[in-house]
Amino acid sequence: MTPMIDVRHVHKAFGGLRVINDCSLSVAKGSITGLIGPNGAGKSTLFNIIAGALPLDSGQVLLDGEEITNRPANALFHKGLLRTFQIAHEFSQMTALENLMMVPPAQAGEGLFNAWLKPGLVRAQEEGVRRKALEVIDFIGLYHVRNELAGNLSGGQKKLLELGRTMMTDARVVLLDEIAAGVNRTLLGDLVENIERLNRDLGYTFLVIEHDMDMIARLCDPVIVLAQGSVMVEGTIQEIQSNPEVIEAYFGAPHDATP
C-alpha cells in the first residue's frame, strides 16, 4: 500500500548546522503514527518540511504517492494535509464558531462580484458552512462555548478548536505538534477521544509529535524515534520503551549504567 506520507533521504541544514540528516520514514494510511525524540532531534524541523513551512536542501516528500517536495503550505492545505501547532493559532476576536466558519476555501462571499451580484448564493453557502461548523463544534464538545470569543477559551479548548478546524475541510492527513502541551487532563482526554474518532470513523491519518508518553502509548502505533536528525528506530511503544539505544539517546547513558 502506498504510504500517506513518504519522506525520502531528506537533508536540512541551517548555516553549518545539519538538523535533518538523511532522514527517511513513512506514515501508513489510516494510522496514528508517533514521532518522538530528545530535544534537538529535529522533530519540529521535519514537521515544518513536511507541512511546507520550510524548504529542504535535498531529498523528497510524497503525499499518497504524489511528490510534494517544497510545495507551500497553502497548496498542501488544498491537497488535504493540515497541521496544528504547539501554541494554538486562533482568531482571538472571533467566536469559536466563526473560527470554524473561516476555514473552508473559495467561499462565494470572499469575492466582491458575488457579494454584490449574487447575494443569494453567498447566503446559501454561508448557511451551509454554518451548519457544518455547528456539527463540528458539537462533535468536539465545544458547543456550549460556540459564541464565546476564541481568545477567551482555555488552552485545552483552543487545541480542541484547532482539531475542529481540520474537520471543516477535506483533510486526509493531520500533523499534530505537541497537542497535549498546556492542556489539563480532562480536556486532554477529550482531545485523545476526538483524535481516535476522527481516525476510526473518518479515516484521518495522523502524525503526532508529543512528549507525553502516556498519550503516545494510548494513541500511536507505530512510534518513530528521531535522533540527531535521522530515524533511530521504529516499533510499538513497548519496543521503543525497552530499546537500550532509545534510553541512551534520551538519558545520555546506557540503560544499565550505574550512577
Side-chain angles (χ1 to χ4, degrees):
M1 182 180 293
T2 302
M4 182 59 79
I5 296 175
D6 196 7
V7 174
R8 299 179 179 177
H9 304 292
V10 167
H11 293 260
K12 178 65 180 178
F14 297 96
L17 178 63
R18 186 173 294 280
V19 179
I20 303 297
N21 184 26
D22 195 25
C23 182
S24 296
L25 60 85
S26 63
V27 177
K29 291 181 183 177
S31 72
I32 306 178
T33 299
L35 182 64
I36 67 171
N39 291 333
K43 303 183 298 297
S44 293
T45 299
L46 183 61
F47 242 42
N48 286 330
I49 288 171
I50 295 171
L54 274 178
L56 51 76
D57 296 334
S58 62
Q60 292 178 296
V61 181
L62 287 82
L63 176 66
D64 199 14
E66 177 186 357
E67 184 162 3
I68 59 168
T69 306
N70 289 339
R71 298 269 186 94
N74 63 314
L76 298 182
F77 170 86
H78 291 287
K79 291 185 175 295
L81 191 155
L82 291 82
R83 69 166 298 173
T84 67
F85 295 87
Q86 183 176 352
I87 299 173
H89 288 58
E90 78 283 353
F91 296 103
S92 60
Q93 295 304 307
M94 301 176 71
T95 68
L97 187 65
E98 289 168 341
N99 267 258
L100 296 182
M101 293 178 66
M102 285 284 293
V103 175
Q107 296 187 46
E110 295 173 1
L112 193 60
F113 177 84
N114 287 331
W116 281 356
L117 301 181
K118 297 183 179 181
L121 172 65
V122 172
R123 283 194 300 271
Q125 189 181 69
E126 185 172 303
E127 184 55 37
V129 170
R130 180 181 175 82
R131 283 196 301 270
K132 182 171 183 178
L134 286 169
E135 292 173 1
V136 168
I137 209 163
D138 184 49
F139 181 96
I140 60 176
L142 293 181
Y143 193 83
H144 62 294
V145 293
R146 64 192 181 281
N147 295 321
E148 182 66 59
L149 291 180
N152 295 338
L153 301 182
S154 71
Q157 289 172 330
K158 291 176 181 180
K159 294 289 182 72
L160 281 167
L161 188 63
E162 280 215 333
L163 194 59
R165 287 205 295 241
T166 71
M167 298 176 63
M168 291 298 297
T169 187
D170 296 323
R172 299 159 68 195
V173 55
V174 180
L175 311 181
L176 300 177
D177 190 355
E178 297 202 33
I179 198 166
V183 179
N184 68 51
R185 304 312 294 183
T186 299
L187 281 178
L188 182 57
D190 293 341
L191 274 169
V192 169
E193 288 178 8
N194 277 292
I195 293 166
E196 290 173 329
R197 289 167 67 193
L198 290 171
N199 173 254
R200 179 184 64 246
D201 299 341
L202 299 181
Y204 278 38
T205 299
F206 288 97
L207 179 60
V208 183
I209 289 179
E210 190 51 66
H211 286 292
D212 187 321
M213 288 299 104
D214 290 337
M215 182 176 175
I216 288 288
R218 174 172 170 178
L219 276 178
C220 299
D221 185 16
V223 178
I224 299 169
V225 182
L226 206 65
Q228 298 180 344
S230 59
V231 173
M232 172 184 288
V233 66
E234 175 179 340
T236 66
I237 188 61
Q238 293 80 15
E239 292 167 340
I240 295 301
Q241 288 176 324
S242 62
N243 187 299
E245 289 183 287
V246 175
I247 296 170
E248 183 173 357
Y250 268 97
F251 299 107
H255 71 292
D256 59 352
T258 55

